[in-house]
Amino acid sequence: MFRRCTFGLLLTLVLLSARAFPQATPTTAPIGLAEYQKQEWQVEDGLPESNVRMIAQRADGTLLLATFSGVSTFDGQTFQRLAMPNAATMNIDAVNAVLPGLADDLWIGTDGAGVIHQTATGAVNISSAAGHENERIRTMVFDHDGTLWIATQYGILRYRNNQLETVPDVGIIGGDITTVFAEDTHGGMYFVTSSGLFHRTSHGVTRVPVPAQFGEPTSVYRDRTSHLWLGTMHAVLDATERAGQEPTFTQRMQVDTQVTILVSDRQHNLWIGTKNSGLFRWNSEGASGWSTADGLPDDTVRTLFVDDEDNLWIGGLTGGLSRWRRAPFAMLQAPDFKPSYSAVAFGDSKGDLWLGTWGQGVFRQHNGVIAPVHIPGMPVRTPIRTITEDKHGRIWVGTWFDGIYSFNGETWSHHQLGIESPVNAVSVLHSDRLGGLWVGTYTGLHYFRSGIPATTGGETYLPSKLITDLLEDTDGSILAATSTGLFRIADGQVQTIREMPHPYVLSLSLDSHGNVWAGSRTGGLSRIAGDRAFPLPNDAGLPSMPIYNMLEDAHGHLWLGTSQGVVRILASDLNDLSTGKLQRISSTLFIKQDGMPSSDCSGPSRPSATRLPNGIMYFATSKGFARTTPFAETATMAPPTARITGWTFGNDTRAESLLTGDRVVIDPSEGEINFRFDASRLSNPSQTEFRYRLTGYDSGWVTTHSRYARYRRIPAGTYAFEVQARVGGDPWMTPVASISVRQRPHFYATYTFYLLVGMLVFFLGAHLYTRRIRRVKGNMGIVLQERNRIARECHDTLMAGFAAISWQLETASRTLDRDAHELADAKSACDMARSMVSHCQAEARRIIWDLRDTDEVTGVLSQALSKAISSHYKQDDVETRMAVEGREILLPPASVHHLVCIGQEAVSNALRHGQPKSILVHLRYDESALKMVIHDDGVGFSQDRTGTRRGHFGLLVMEERARKIGGRFNVESALNRGTEVSVVLPYDSPDPSRRLSDTDVIRWIGL
């Protein structure tokens, strides 16, 4: 079936849809024009321009608006300029007509540049291609063969088989003629030009005569029932068609000015737009009009369009865009009836409606007329808390602090309980089947068997409790709802209802199945049976908000007044849910956008909702009284179907940047993705609720009213983005839109990278293992080297000393053997041996100390030298001092070791042989060398026999140590002048630890 376009211009679609659907959509009684829910959009609301020239609808439900500023889309919430390729070069800013094509393309009729055909691959000007320049397009329509009919200022064109042909001799078309085409039932076409009404058939084009008294034809239209209508300069004509004859016309409605546009809806209403006379509706009950005096934005209607939800859209010459919706609710209005706080709605047995307010008294609707009720003695501003009727037809009115008033049909009476005060109110009244009157207050429940309240003679129940509602059960017992629980009163006994989900009970209701329902402050419903409450599950499709009242209509629906709107459900579904036959039920939520003055029905007065015998229901809201329309009981809201419109990366969320396709591939460099989704719902888009999830990433559904979802840094992998839509309050039953998503990994997260890393780790591990082996071998070599050093020390010092002692003793032995006169020489040799033994003992102690010392060798020579001398060579009668000259330089550990040993030996020799009073250790750091001097003021010795002087072979050891570290050793001494030992160490001397001889290499470990 061809897509229905704008203003009834897609006439073939009208014919086919009229044949397919007239019996499928039942009609309801017409509602007054004032009862339509109306909404307007102006430039301040985002509308591109106030002059809306044509309206159409795409397959996805989005509206297309033709304006002087181009083509825009509208989804019910947001206007968006439609991007058109080559728009600047084709001069298509001004658009008079827009028509969705048959293959997801778009036909655009411009005001001076002809017809533009836009497809996914680009745009083509078919007018210019055919040599038709500077054409102003009035309107366009497809016929049943797919031929495009075009109305221009020059006449009528047809476009088929990629050819543009002119229909000759039909005259020009003025700018006020916009409803030009109506297809006949035999494949022909009616059209209107400035020259009159024409009919083209296979036999040619003929002019159809129109009676002159109706004026010139200005529009022609075939409605949904295939009925032909003609609009003229002064009338709306009903055309009667006969086979083989031209139609005849009957006037159905007279207008003062030109008819500009005709369109019909599913309820068989014919909507008529005029020039300067406003909007009209014609149906079986006659004609009615709406103009700027009634609130219409503009009396000149430029275009009309009925969408697929049966909403009427109105485009004015300067009035912007309007939507008329056949709403299920309407605000109760009457002259001088504008209550500031609506409280009580009660319908009596006579069919009258009683309305209680806070601040404006009581109103009564009698025979359709609402008028204030004058109650003698009651201040007008008294808050009305409750109204009821007894079995005698008396009306009872309970107030906050002024007692109770009764009306017997003629006079009013005032009754007081003796407890009236600003902090106490009559909260609810109920007259039982026996004629007794129950009076609920803020401080308890009172019962008057006589039916007349008084200060005495009543029975009191539930003292000190706030009574919120009363209900008489089918067995005659009274259920009393309070702020601290629910109670049943029977035969004077009070029984507590167990297992209520919350002690604060707001409302009580009895349905046609005999079920008693209680609404609590936490929301939801509980079924009451005996002394027990059975709460219904919160996830079964019921509203989660508190329920303040409940009504049942003649069609088996329950209407629940809540703090967020009125919810309609089937009573049978609720009964089956309570017995376990159903696990979930569906519901419809009506809010302010459905015609209610406010969505809030949470007033504390009772009753706050009522149903009259004529079936109309009334609800007290925070902004006035709402009443149902004839459309309410059959109103259904088609569930919206979600669709994914595209996605963008990064912070770019512009519509023109949206990417589309059958799958999403995210590069590793993209750190953020924005999914866009929507659901076609032009009637009330704010009610549309979405939930989405990224399967494999989100743990559950995310619910939102927005139309986008943003994700940052999704782990690499394959996912599916899913989105679902519903009307707020309905169950999630609509189809789920889904698209595949693949997040590509960074290179470091790929298997190739893992393989390379594994190989690198393997080779690195092998290298480290090899290095570890070499290091262990090196440590073993260092240990062996240290052992060799100890062996050398022992060899160079202790062993050499012991050998010398052996030689001396041997000499002494030989001397003693030769001659006694040599005893003096033997004594001298023994003295020498004793001195050598002492020296060797000192050396042995020093070596052992070096081996046991756990302190780390340091490069600070002064610290190491001071520590060594003070630890072993400190004597109380000898002053030992140390002086450092220049900036101290860190030395290699081996150099420090040998210099400390030289210092120790020098100080030891001075103490043992020199008998000094003071010893000075002087360190001088020059620019190129270190000079260490050990000077004592002892007895000294003669240097002519230094190398062989008995007891002084330690000088040779010190000289050897200085040589090992690249230094120069020198000793100066004289008898009675002390001794000075000096070592000069250049800074560029190599570290002896790095100069290993062949004997230091351990061959088997490769060091």
Side-chain angles (χ1 to χ4, degrees):
M1 179 180 295
F2 296 140
R3 185 181 311 167
R4 176 169 49 83
C5 187
T6 176
F7 314 140
L9 300 179
L10 254 174
L11 300 178
T12 299
L13 177 60
V14 171
L15 288 171
L16 296 179
S17 63
R19 294 170 184 170
F21 298 112
Q23 291 82 23
T25 305
T27 61
T28 61
I31 63 175
L33 296 184
E35 296 178 347
Y36 281 86
Q37 192 268 331
K38 306 173 182 68
Q39 188 169 352
E40 301 173 7
W41 290 268
Q42 302 293 339
V43 174
E44 295 79 8
D45 304 308
L47 182 67
E49 189 174 308
S50 297
N51 183 353
V52 179
R53 303 183 176 191
M54 193 171 183
I55 306 172
Q57 190 172 24
R58 295 193 306 199
D60 61 7
T62 304
L63 291 184
L64 295 167
L65 308 178
T67 71
F68 191 78
S69 301
V71 180
S72 296
T73 62
F74 184 54
D75 61 1
Q77 288 187 314
T78 305
F79 295 93
Q80 183 69 44
R81 178 73 179 267
L82 184 67
M84 292 182 287
N86 308 324
T89 58
M90 292 186 179
N91 189 27
I92 57 174
D93 283 340
V95 176
N96 291 332
V98 59
L99 180 65
L102 307 178
D104 200 23
D105 51 349
L106 192 65
W107 299 85
I108 302 168
T110 68
D111 189 38
V115 177
I116 309 299
H117 184 206
Q118 179 179 338
T119 64
T121 58
V124 177
N125 191 319
I126 65 170
S127 299
S128 297
H132 295 260
E133 301 292 342
N134 303 320
E135 284 191 322
R136 292 183 173 181
I137 307 303
R138 307 304 189 198
T139 189
M140 300 177 293
V141 66
F142 282 106
D143 66 15
H144 71 284
D145 289 328
T147 299
L148 179 65
W149 292 76
I150 306 168
T152 77
Q153 82 271 34
Y154 301 123
I156 304 297
L157 302 174
R158 300 173 69 219
Y159 183 76
R160 61 178 180 172
N161 299 325
N162 297 324
Q163 298 294 323
L164 192 64
E165 60 184 48
T166 302
V167 179
D169 303 325
V170 295
I172 65 173
I173 301 175
D176 293 335
I177 301 177
T178 57
T179 311
V180 177
F181 300 103
E183 193 170 6
D184 67 17
T185 56
H186 305 287
M189 182 69 73
Y190 291 100
F191 53 85
V192 172
T193 72
S194 298
S195 300
L197 175 64
F198 293 85
H199 186 199
R200 187 185 189 281
T201 65
S202 58
H203 302 293
V205 178
T206 60
R207 181 173 179 177
V208 179
V210 178
Q213 67 267 27
F214 301 132
E216 293 296 326
T218 57
S219 57
V220 62
Y221 175 71
R222 190 174 296 277
D223 67 17
R224 294 169 182 261
T225 61
S226 194
H227 201 80
L228 187 66
W229 296 87
L230 185 70
T232 71
M233 296 295 293
H234 306 296
V236 176
L237 306 180
D238 181 356
T240 302
E241 297 176 280
R242 296 179 177 88
Q245 300 180 18
E246 294 298 344
T248 59
F249 301 96
T250 303
Q251 179 176 315
R252 296 301 183 189
M253 179 180 139
Q254 184 176 352
V255 294
D256 296 331
T257 57
Q258 171 189 341
V259 174
T260 57
I261 184 80
L262 298 169
V263 70
S264 64
D265 62 19
R266 296 175 188 170
Q267 307 303 315
H268 308 315
N269 296 309
L270 180 68
W271 295 93
I272 303 121
T274 70
K275 183 178 181 180
N276 300 325
S277 295
L279 177 68
F280 293 88
R281 182 188 67 176
W282 190 91
N283 54 33
S284 58
E285 296 188 355
S288 54
W290 199 261
S291 67
T292 53
D294 304 302
L296 190 69
D298 192 348
D299 278 333
T300 296
V301 178
R302 187 74 167 80
T303 182
L304 293 173
F305 180 73
V306 177
D307 65 22
D308 56 7
E309 299 174 26
D310 212 33
N311 299 310
L312 176 66
W313 296 85
I314 307 168
L317 182 64
T318 59
L321 180 68
S322 301
R323 183 195 65 196
W324 283 28
R325 181 181 172 216
R326 196 161 50 95
F329 282 87
M331 184 174 181
L332 183 61
Q333 296 177 327
D336 301 324
F337 177 68
K338 295 181 180 179
S340 58
Y341 190 100
S342 305
V344 180
F346 176 76
D348 65 18
S349 58
K350 302 178 183 65
D352 289 349
L353 175 66
W354 296 81
L355 304 171
T357 69
W358 286 19
Q360 292 176 286
V362 178
F363 292 81
R364 180 186 181 188
Q365 178 179 278
H366 180 66
N367 295 329
V369 178
I370 299 176
V373 177
H374 175 66
I375 301 178
M378 187 186 80
V380 175
R381 301 189 64 82
T382 300
I384 306 302
R385 286 300 308 267
T386 179
I387 301 177
T388 192
E389 183 182 18
D390 64 20
K391 69 176 185 177
H392 303 292
R394 283 185 301 228
I395 299 298
W396 295 87
V397 179
T399 69
W400 191 316
F401 49 80
D402 196 29
I404 303 172
Y405 293 84
S406 65
F407 180 63
N408 61 8
E410 296 181 358
T411 61
W412 287 91
S413 300
H414 189 198
H415 311 271
Q416 290 187 325
L417 304 178
I419 59 173
E420 291 78 12
S421 72
V423 295
N424 196 4
V426 176
S427 55
V428 60
L429 293 172
H430 175 74
S431 179
D432 62 24
R433 65 187 66 174
L434 300 177
L437 184 67
W438 296 82
V439 181
T441 70
Y442 280 21
T443 57
L445 178 62
H446 306 276
Y447 179 55
F448 300 93
R449 294 185 181 273
S450 64
I452 305 298
T455 56
T456 60
E459 303 172 18
T460 300
Y461 299 92
L462 307 175
S464 302
K465 293 187 181 298
L466 167 61
I467 310 301
T468 58
D469 204 359
L470 295 171
L471 176 71
E472 188 171 3
D473 205 348
T474 53
D475 60 0
S477 61
I478 298 295
L479 285 167
T482 75
S483 60
T484 56
L486 180 60
F487 303 90
R488 184 185 296 274
I489 303 173
D491 299 326
Q493 302 296 318
V494 179
Q495 185 181 34
T496 302
I497 305 299
R498 299 178 292 110
E499 300 185 23
M500 282 296 295
H502 192 276
Y504 203 120
V505 181
L506 294 173
S507 62
L508 295 170
S509 302
L510 180 67
D511 66 17
S512 58
H513 297 273
N515 294 316
V516 175
W517 303 99
S520 63
R521 172 163 283 184
T522 54
L525 285 175
S526 299
R527 183 172 63 88
I528 309 302
D531 64 346
R532 184 180 174 189
F534 297 89
L536 299 182
N538 293 328
D539 58 351
L542 284 170
S544 59
M545 46 275 199
I547 297 171
Y548 290 86
N549 50 63
M550 178 188 292
L551 299 176
E552 187 170 1
D553 63 20
H555 300 275
H557 289 113
L558 293 176
W559 299 72
L560 314 178
T562 74
S563 58
Q564 298 180 27
V566 176
V567 179
R568 190 188 68 190
I569 57 178
L570 281 172
S572 58
D573 286 353
L574 192 62
N575 184 62
D576 291 342
L577 179 66
S578 66
T579 58
K581 294 181 181 179
L582 287 178
Q583 299 299 318
R584 189 174 184 85
I585 62 176
S586 61
S587 61
T588 302
L589 176 66
F590 300 98
I591 59 174
K592 181 178 180 180
Q593 285 76 7
D594 295 299
M596 299 177 64
S598 171
S599 301
D600 187 3
C601 301
S602 62
S605 298
R606 292 291 177 267
S608 57
T610 190
R611 175 174 171 259
L612 295 185
N614 60 7
I616 298 178
M617 292 173 286
Y618 296 83
F619 293 85
T621 76
S622 60
K623 297 292 182 63
F625 291 97
R627 68 176 180 85
T628 57
T629 67
F631 177 61
E633 293 186 358
T634 57
T636 56
M637 296 185 179
T641 301
R643 67 182 188 278
I644 299 172
T645 58
W647 61 91
T648 61
F649 295 110
N651 295 322
D652 187 2
T653 58
R654 296 173 300 170
E656 55 269 25
S657 301
L658 282 178
L659 303 174
T660 58
D662 57 356
R663 66 193 304 252
V664 182
V665 178
I666 309 174
D667 289 332
S669 59
E670 300 291 351
E672 182 175 304
I673 184 171
N674 303 282
F675 292 99
R676 288 283 178 175
F677 44 84
D678 203 349
S680 174
R681 188 165 188 80
L682 297 173
S683 297
N684 196 354
S686 62
Q687 271 190 301
T688 305
E689 190 175 50
F690 298 90
R691 66 175 183 174
Y692 65 86
R693 66 181 177 184
L694 190 63
T695 58
Y697 181 79
D698 289 325
S699 59
W701 290 95
V702 179
T703 304
T704 181
H705 282 278
S706 64
R707 284 162 167 77
Y708 71 92
R710 177 172 296 177
Y711 289 90
R712 291 191 177 104
R713 305 197 180 282
I714 303 173
T718 301
Y719 310 90
F721 179 73
E722 298 177 343
V723 62
Q724 192 176 19
R726 70 172 181 180
V727 176
D730 284 359
W732 296 102
M733 301 176 64
T734 57
V736 176
S738 178
I739 190 169
S740 174
V741 179
R742 180 173 177 261
Q743 171 70 64
R744 289 177 175 171
H746 288 275
F747 177 71
Y748 56 76
T750 61
Y751 291 111
T752 302
F753 179 80
Y754 293 152
L755 178 61
L756 293 176
V757 170
M759 295 175 61
L760 179 62
V761 170
F762 174 78
F763 287 116
L764 181 61
H767 172 72
L768 293 177
Y769 177 76
T770 304
R771 187 173 178 180
R772 172 66 177 170
I773 293 297
R774 295 186 61 185
R775 184 174 179 180
V776 170
K777 292 180 178 180
N779 290 339
M780 294 175 61
I782 292 173
V783 172
L784 293 176
Q785 181 181 354
E786 183 64 14
R787 292 180 60 184
N788 290 338
R789 184 187 70 80
I790 295 173
R792 286 197 305 271
E793 293 285 349
C794 293
H795 178 272
D796 293 343
T797 57
L798 298 181
M799 295 304 294
F802 290 139
I805 293 171
S806 176
W807 296 337
Q808 291 297 327
L809 292 176
E810 184 179 356
T811 301
S813 177
R814 286 197 301 268
T815 302
L816 291 175
D817 288 339
R818 284 197 302 268
D819 199 344
H821 71 275
E822 298 289 337
L823 287 176
D825 292 336
K827 183 178 181 301
S828 176
C830 289
D831 291 340
M832 178 63 73
R834 186 169 60 252
S835 176
M836 289 180 178
V837 169
S838 297
H839 176 76
C840 290
Q841 289 175 339
E843 282 295 304
R845 284 194 299 268
R846 182 187 61 76
I847 293 172
I848 293 172
W849 179 263
D850 287 345
L851 293 175
R852 291 181 177 179
D853 190 5
T854 59
D855 289 345
E856 187 178 24
V857 178
T858 177
V860 183
L861 177 61
S862 61
Q863 296 178 5
L865 192 59
S866 175
K867 179 179 178 181
I869 294 173
S870 61
S871 299
H872 305 289
Y873 304 105
K874 189 74 173 178
Q875 293 186 10
D876 295 336
D877 56 346
V878 179
E879 179 185 7
T880 303
R881 294 182 296 111
M882 176 174 288
V884 179
E885 181 179 353
R887 185 173 63 87
E888 193 162 10
I889 297 176
L890 296 180
L891 301 174
S895 299
V896 173
H897 171 73
H898 287 292
L899 290 174
V900 169
C901 291
I902 293 172
Q904 287 179 315
E905 180 65 22
V907 173
S908 176
N909 287 341
L911 292 174
R912 287 189 283 109
H913 305 295
Q915 302 174 9
K917 294 181 179 179
S918 64
I919 301 174
L920 173 63
V921 180
H922 183 259
L923 299 176
R924 188 177 72 192
Y925 291 88
D926 294 331
E927 292 183 359
S928 59
L930 164 67
K931 184 176 182 180
M932 181 179 71
V933 178
I934 300 93
H935 176 79
D936 66 80
D937 58 355
V939 298
F941 61 90
S942 176
Q943 287 187 281
D944 54 350
R945 296 175 60 195
T946 301
T948 59
R949 178 165 163 58
R950 290 172 297 184
H952 294 281
F953 64 91
L955 296 175
L956 299 176
V957 175
M958 289 188 285
E959 185 177 5
E960 177 61 21
R961 287 186 181 276
R963 182 188 62 79
K964 284 184 177 182
I965 61 176
R968 300 189 303 275
F969 177 81
N970 184 45
V971 60
E972 294 182 4
S973 182
L975 291 175
N976 299 321
R977 292 187 179 181
T979 304
E980 182 179 282
V981 177
S982 63
V983 178
V984 178
L985 178 64
Y987 294 146
D988 58 353
S989 297
D991 190 339
S993 63
R994 300 184 182 273
R995 297 185 292 110
L996 303 177
S997 62
D998 292 341
T999 58
D1000 298 323
V1001 177
I1002 299 114
R1003 300 291 182 184
W1004 64 275
I1005 61 172
L1007 297 177

